Amino acid sequence: MTMAGQGRGRRDRDRPGGSAVALDEAYDTALLDLDGVVYYAGGNAVPHAVEALGAARAGGMRLAYVTNNALRTPDVVAAHLTELGVPSEPADVITSAQAVARLIADEVPPGSRILLIGGEGLRVALRERGLVPVESADDDPVAVVQGYGGPELQWARFAEASYAVGRGLPWYASNTDRTIPGARGIAPGNGAAVEVVRMATGAEPRVAGKPLPPMHRETVLRTGARRPLVVGDRLDTDIEGAFNGEVDSLLVLTGVTDVAQLLAAVPEHRPTYVAADLRGLLTAQPGVTEVQGPEAQGMAGAFACGGWTASVGGGVLLLDGAGEDLDPLDGVRALCAAAWTEAGAGACGLDAGKALERLGLA
């Protein structure tokens, strides 16, 4: 266990890290995902999020909100957060629209026309970089950019993108998330729209959003973070993005990822820390230790955390612990160590059903 965690820069994570001090002390900036972390798809705050973020900010941690959704502008997102009780400024919000706009601006002259397939967030981001959004492939664009435009985005817009990409223009995408959560359920995301143009043209876009490096670059440039901690609920965007940026991450279990998926995670999807919710920012993180010597009691690859001991036997993840005050999350941490060590560079396929039942998480 270290002051700032064990995970910084590790490429071969085999167990959750530990921190001797609260995470809001160990890191100067939290790079927070929004959906499933701060608020739910319907717009309501996740339990404990408002209070935890307020305490972290009061303790001196900078809070930055990082989203792949390119539709809403930073002003709109900041206003929503403030309404929820999380005071925020537009400068606190970093979007994939901003990341892709910078990517394009680095490669074309100022004032260039860009065919926009998306919504207001992407339009504002292009203008911020001195680029001129246009609506037609016949408006002499030098590139095409595609971002989530909401359910009202017409099919004709995909055709317009296809015309331009088919002529050989560079094609950029804010992100390729295939789905986006909504109040009524899961809807097609920008990745689904990108797939339409890909099928029509056979081309491949340059992508900026999480988990790819342009998004991490954008967040660091805009926040000036020196010791950033990525906080998210998705393994394939938030946690993989932290892995690609070689920074530490905290997975909160308030969103799309459940414990079974966490146990099966491949190395690039393994977070440094895991917490039930954003209150994890305010606490130290217990380390996971390998059980050796007589205490192992014949168990190979046994790992302990907070009174729980996890191991592998007969193709099954096993969990042992006694006492009424044991924290189920410590059991999850021990199970992660056993599963990830067993899986190595792959995904763990061991049966964890009984172990999760014991923790009340099945």
Side-chain angles (χ1 to χ4, degrees), residues 263-267 270 312 336-350:
L263 296 178
V266 294
R270 296 171 187 170
V312 177
C336 283
W340 297 350
T341 299
E342 178 72 15
C348 180
L350 298 175

Side-chain angles (χ1 to χ4, degrees), residues 255-316:
V256 300
T257 300
D258 60 26
V259 173
Q261 292 168 322
L262 176 61
L263 296 178
V266 294
E268 60 267 30
H269 292 170
R270 296 171 187 170
T272 313
Y273 311 107
V274 58
D277 52 57
L278 284 177
R279 290 177 294 179
L281 284 174
L282 310 177
T283 63
Q285 295 292 308
V288 179
T289 59
E290 186 169 6
V291 181
Q292 298 178 337
E295 295 181 3
Q297 298 180 349
M299 294 183 294
F303 297 88
C305 183
W308 296 100
T309 300
S311 60
V312 177
V316 175

